[in-house]
């Protein structure tokens, strides 16, 4: 037998034995059961509170949806008889009850209303079904990015005829999305995983987009000698019927067109070939000054727009039909944008 001698400090327990000893530390099963029962009682209270919150969100969703369906031409109430539409509606309600995000609610309502107008199983109907599902997995950051890309890259405003109108377009249709766009690459990766688009190696330069779509109100213009140097002999005056004083300098000239395609459509009787017209248009486009010099004095947040475009993956992100549908719906919510969605999804 071995002598054993132990000393224990205050508050400690000393154990000794002549063979192995099993020591049980921590909570007993009875104590753990008591804690879990108490937690269950607390959870039931939380469940009741969550149910109340969910009911409030569902009421908000229904109210907004019914308001939209009450507007003539915005939606088709008969769609409620369609099982596929009912499934979409139920799924959307449950998703909003979980998120509670008003941006999600309003975007879903717009998608649902647009979906109700599709009476058959069209590609657009399927895209809108998918868009409603994907939209609930996005944040305000992704909504803003999809809308800015959609408006800037996939749409053209045909009612712009002056530089002032172009400035209003930028201020009212592009700038509102800038503040919500995330600069994190993970935001764009998330949109890609939700089938809203793909990150491309190619880049869409914002200035190039403006020059292509609205060049006719951006160029300073050319003089007569410059014009004639870009026209072949015998056609020096062929452009006369298509010229106006420059919008920026009345002493200069410019084509009476907002884009090259518009110029081509007007030039059928000039006798100029497409290449000859392109030469004149290129001359005019070359007089467009850097837009960061042209716009900031007029649009205070323009530099923020160019900064977020140039320094995030906005310029690299190509939208899928689902991304277009969500970007379209959110643009309608934020800036009141409205155009037939079947222009892009057919």
């Amino acid at each position: 037998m071995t002598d054993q001698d132990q000393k224990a400090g205050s508050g400690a327990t000393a154990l000794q034995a002549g063979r192995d000893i099993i020591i049980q530390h921590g909570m007993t099963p009875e104590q753990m059961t008591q804690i879990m029962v108490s937690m269950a009682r607390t959870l039931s209270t939380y469940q009741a509170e969550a149910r109340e919150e969910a009911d409030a969100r569902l009421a908000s969703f229904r109210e907004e949806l019914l308001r939209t369906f009450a507007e003539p031409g915005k939606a088709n109430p008969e769609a409620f008889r369609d099982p596929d539409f009912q499934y979409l509606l139920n799924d959307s309600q449950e998703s909003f009850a979980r998120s509670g995000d008003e941006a999600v609610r309003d975007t879903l309502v717009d998608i649902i209303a647009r979906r109700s107008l599709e009476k058959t199983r069209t590609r657009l109907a399927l895209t809108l079904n998918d868009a409603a599902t994907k939209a609930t997995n996005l944040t305000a950051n992704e909504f803003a990015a999809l809308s800015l890309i959609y408006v800037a890259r996939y749409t053209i405003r045909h009612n712009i005829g002056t530089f002032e109108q172009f400035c209003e377009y930028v201020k009212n249709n592009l700038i509102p999305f800038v503040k919500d766009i995330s600069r994190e690459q993970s935001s764009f990766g998330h949109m890609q995983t939700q089938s809203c688009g793909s990150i491309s190696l190619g880049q869409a330069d914002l200035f190039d987009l403006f020059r292509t779509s609205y060049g006719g109100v951006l160029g300073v213009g050319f003089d007569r000698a410059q014009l004639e140097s870009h026209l072949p002999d015998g056609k020096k005056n062929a452009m006369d019927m298509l010229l106006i004083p420059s919008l920026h300098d009345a002493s200069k000239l410019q084509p009476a067109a907002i884009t090259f395609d518009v110029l081509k459509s007007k030039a059928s009787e000039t006798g100029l070939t497409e290449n000859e017209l392109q030469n004149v248009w290129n001359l005019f486009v070359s007089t467009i000054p850097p837009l960061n010099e042209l716009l900031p004095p007029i649009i205070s947040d323009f530099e923020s727009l160019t900064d977020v475009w140039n320094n995030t993956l906005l310029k690299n992100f190509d939208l899928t039909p689902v991304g277009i549908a969500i970007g379209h719906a959110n643009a309608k919510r934020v800036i009141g944008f409205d155009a037939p969605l079947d222009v892009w999804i057919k």
Side-chain angles (χ1 to χ4, degrees):
M1 182 173 179
T2 304
D3 292 336
Q4 298 182 19
D5 185 14
Q6 280 190 337
K7 294 182 180 179
S10 175
T13 301
L15 300 173
Q16 61 183 14
R19 54 184 300 174
D20 293 342
I21 184 170
I22 298 174
I23 305 173
Q24 180 175 326
H25 292 291
M27 305 293 291
T28 66
E30 291 77 14
Q31 289 173 316
M32 289 187 284
T33 299
Q34 185 178 1
I35 290 174
M36 286 189 286
V37 169
S38 298
M39 288 178 65
R41 293 196 189 104
T42 304
L43 285 173
S44 65
T45 302
Y46 290 155
Q47 285 180 337
E49 293 175 353
R51 182 72 262 171
E52 290 179 6
E53 180 64 27
D55 288 342
R57 290 175 180 177
L58 288 172
S60 168
F61 185 90
R62 287 192 293 268
E63 181 181 349
E64 194 63 32
L65 189 70
L66 292 174
R67 183 184 296 114
T68 300
F69 270 72
E71 297 181 38
K74 288 293 183 69
N76 175 26
E78 289 300 309
F80 279 79
R81 302 178 185 274
D82 177 19
D84 185 53
F85 182 81
Q86 290 178 4
Y87 180 89
L88 170 68
L89 186 62
N90 182 66
D91 195 44
S92 298
Q93 286 189 106
E94 289 185 357
S95 296
F96 176 66
R98 290 168 57 193
S99 74
D101 188 326
E102 289 189 4
V104 172
R105 180 197 66 191
D106 295 346
T107 301
L108 282 174
V109 165
D110 182 79
I111 291 173
I112 291 168
R114 183 62 190 82
R115 168 63 181 83
S116 73
L117 298 175
E118 297 300 307
K119 298 180 181 179
T120 58
R121 194 172 181 269
T122 64
R123 186 173 293 104
L124 178 55
L126 296 175
T127 298
L128 289 167
N129 285 350
D130 203 11
T133 300
K134 303 299 185 184
T136 59
N137 296 326
L138 302 176
T139 69
N141 303 134
E142 286 80 53
F143 283 156
L146 291 173
S147 291
L148 180 54
I149 296 168
Y150 165 67
V151 175
R153 291 186 57 182
Y154 294 83
T155 73
I156 298 177
R157 293 293 294 270
H158 295 288
N159 61 345
I160 292 177
T162 67
F163 179 66
E164 290 71 26
Q165 289 173 339
F166 172 75
C167 292
E168 286 298 306
Y169 157 75
V170 173
K171 183 168 64 176
N172 297 329
N173 292 273
L174 302 181
I175 298 294
F177 300 113
V178 171
K179 62 181 175 58
D180 289 324
I181 292 174
S182 170
R183 292 176 176 271
E184 298 297 328
Q185 186 169 338
S186 59
S187 178
F188 295 89
H190 181 61
M191 288 189 289
Q192 184 169 257
T193 62
Q194 296 302 315
S195 303
C196 295
S198 59
I199 300 171
S200 170
L201 293 177
Q203 298 183 4
D205 183 84
L206 189 62
F207 288 0
D208 285 344
L209 293 173
F210 288 160
R211 292 186 187 103
T212 300
S213 300
Y214 308 107
V217 299
L218 301 176
V220 174
F222 43 72
D223 58 32
R224 186 78 199 185
Q226 289 174 308
L227 170 63
E228 292 184 2
S229 70
H230 283 71
L231 291 170
D233 292 339
K235 296 182 179 181
K236 301 297 185 183
N237 299 314
M239 279 288 299
D240 287 2
M241 68 180 69
L242 298 175
L243 296 175
I244 60 173
S246 168
L247 298 177
H248 295 275
D249 183 348
S251 69
K252 296 182 181 296
L253 301 169
Q254 74 166 77
I258 186 71
T259 67
F260 179 63
D261 286 341
V262 173
L263 179 63
K264 283 196 300 182
S265 69
K266 292 182 174 182
S268 58
E269 298 180 4
T270 63
L272 294 170
T273 67
E274 182 171 332
N275 285 339
E276 290 164 349
L277 284 170
Q278 187 71 66
N279 286 338
V280 175
W281 185 257
N282 289 345
L283 168 64
F284 175 61
V285 169
S286 71
T287 71
I288 299 176
L291 293 185
N292 57 345
E293 297 177 8
L294 210 68
L295 293 179
I298 302 170
I299 305 174
S300 59
D301 292 325
F302 183 71
E303 290 183 351
S304 297
L305 170 63
T306 57
D307 178 60
V308 75
W309 187 275
N310 292 332
N311 294 300
T312 69
L313 292 175
L314 284 170
K315 61 185 179 298
N316 305 93
F317 203 79
D318 299 327
L319 299 185
T320 61
V322 169
I324 287 175
I326 296 173
H328 179 282
N330 186 62
K332 184 175 181 181
R333 178 183 71 87
V334 176
I335 62 174
F337 178 91
D338 199 10
L341 188 56
D342 55 12
V343 171
W344 297 274
I345 306 172
K346 299 179 181 181

